[in-house]
Amino acid sequence: MGGVEDEEPALKRMRLSSYNGSSSVECTVGSSSGLMARPLSAEGEDEVIGSTGIIKRREFVRIITKALYSLGYKKSGEHLEEESGIPLQSSVVNVFMQKILDGDWDESLATLNKIGLHDEGIVRAASFLILEQKFFELLDGDKVMDALKTLRTEITQHCVDSTRIRELTSCIVSPSGLNGLSRRELVRVRTRLKLLEELQKLIPPNVMVPEKRLERLVEIALIFQREACMFHNSLDKEISVYSDHHCGKTQIPSRTLQVDTNGGLSIKHKLCGHQKPVSSASWSPNGQELLTCGVEEAVRRWDVSTGKCLQVYEKNGPGLISCAWLPCGNYILSGLNDKSICMWELDGKEVESWKEEKTLKISDLEITGDGEHIISICKENVILLFNKETNDERFIEEDEIITSFCLSKDSRFLLINLLNQEIHLWNIGDLQLVRKYKSHKRARFVIRSCFGGFRQSFIASGSEDSQVYIWHRNSEDLVDVLPGHSGAVNCVSWNPANPHMLASASDDRTIRIWGLKCLNVKYPNAYSNGNHHSNGGELR
């Protein structure tokens, strides 16, 4: 499997203490005689297992052996090596690891050159890591002159990065060491076990089997199955390695649980004060306050527990058309009908204003989770991503008129509803269109969509045919269509805390709460933060 190895079955193990610590590590130790004596035996090298014939038996046995040792099953690992005749690592690698853990740096370098690495770049990089560890430990032992000699005569031979050399030099002359850490703190962070982990990343895996390789392969397989499952909408802990994963359609909220006040909901407060219809609402980051915006009127901030209006935000002349909270919860944003955007302190003091066509008369306004980028519709087919710190502007341009949009929870994707009955998913990092969703109906009204479900794996949207449409986010497949309303469904909102709960609002003057057909999962803190919109008029 690459590298040089003696054919020794049961490898001896010894317990060693890591440098500057009391923890122990299991280290493979083989015979040190004849380190470059002969290559690995080719017997069984091409033997494969599995129905597809793509798994090499020797590799498979080695990663199982590695997993056994990593899990603490030392005797089982040794027995597998002896019974299979396949050693985990060559005796050269065993000696190399032993020398690293012993802090025998000269022998570590000598053994590194006997492992059989053919890439000089890897040898140079590994040598630098070893000598860097030697350098830090010499400093930790107050052997400053020896450390300086190592830096000048050894490290500079392997490191071509002049910046790194200067950083190491600063460790000698500065008491704060590197990155603000003292010399002793540096050594505590950079233990010999950590050094071995870094070396494993450099040295080819057929020479040193990576830590937790078997775990990684199983995780990849489970993640692949989860992503391929069209209906997956449950916690990862419900996935098992015992069988292939597949969810049924029962994981999708498709049954009406509560309809308006007749199904168990009760009115907590009536928030009175707006003179015009309310076009949007936005929950505070802590869920204790609510912003509401009247159509070209004012924004009001409410205490959810008491129903009291805490503040009114308005300007002489232009009316406010949208509202949103900054992630910190200390400021709010509002779009105005003069196409500007304002930022306010909670007490009503205006602290910033951005003009020059930053928004249209559409009540959609979002801000990214880092609080830096304001997202708005600046032209009928263009979305603006405005950096409020640098004033930089980026744009998403569509071929059709944009009617609404929604930002993902991780602030990486934007869901855009278009006039032509399509919903587009954009990556706002590289401004790339990545998915399209179709089938819902839109002719006259603004129809809104949202992300939702477990890991926001689904897209839901209202529709003018009185139904709710749900797609699988990655595959674009239509997962379900929910009938029940008797009027156009204008808006949907998926509960961010409970992936099995969805709400829809319709022109039939009802709000429906959708859940699973079989109720067997409970999720705490199931209130919804974010922006919510209301529209009953025709799109003009």
Side-chain angles (χ1 to χ4, degrees), residues 304-372:
V304 175
S305 61
T306 65
K308 179 182 178 181
C309 181
L310 302 176
Q311 185 68 44
V312 178
Y313 307 88
E314 55 189 343
K315 295 189 69 170
N316 293 327
L320 280 61
I321 57 175
S322 58
C323 56
W325 290 84
L326 265 70
C328 64
N330 295 326
Y331 300 91
I332 70 166
L333 293 174
S334 179
L336 283 75
N337 60 7
D338 66 356
K339 301 182 180 181
S340 65
I341 295 175
C342 286
M343 183 166 72
W344 318 71
E345 291 181 348
L346 295 186
D347 61 5
K349 178 183 178 181
E350 182 181 337
V351 293
E352 192 98 41
S353 180
W354 300 276
K355 301 183 183 299
E356 300 178 3
E357 297 191 1
K358 292 294 186 290
T359 184
L360 291 184
K361 292 184 179 181
I362 298 178
S363 55
D364 284 57
L365 188 66
E366 297 272 11
I367 186 162
T368 53
D370 58 11
E372 291 187 0

Side-chain angles (χ1 to χ4, degrees), residues 11 66 83 110 170 190 198 256 291 375 439 477:
L11 299 176
K66 184 72 173 181
E83 186 173 359
S170 69
R190 303 171 61 89
E198 292 300 313
T256 300
L291 295 177
I375 305 175
S439 292
D477 292 328

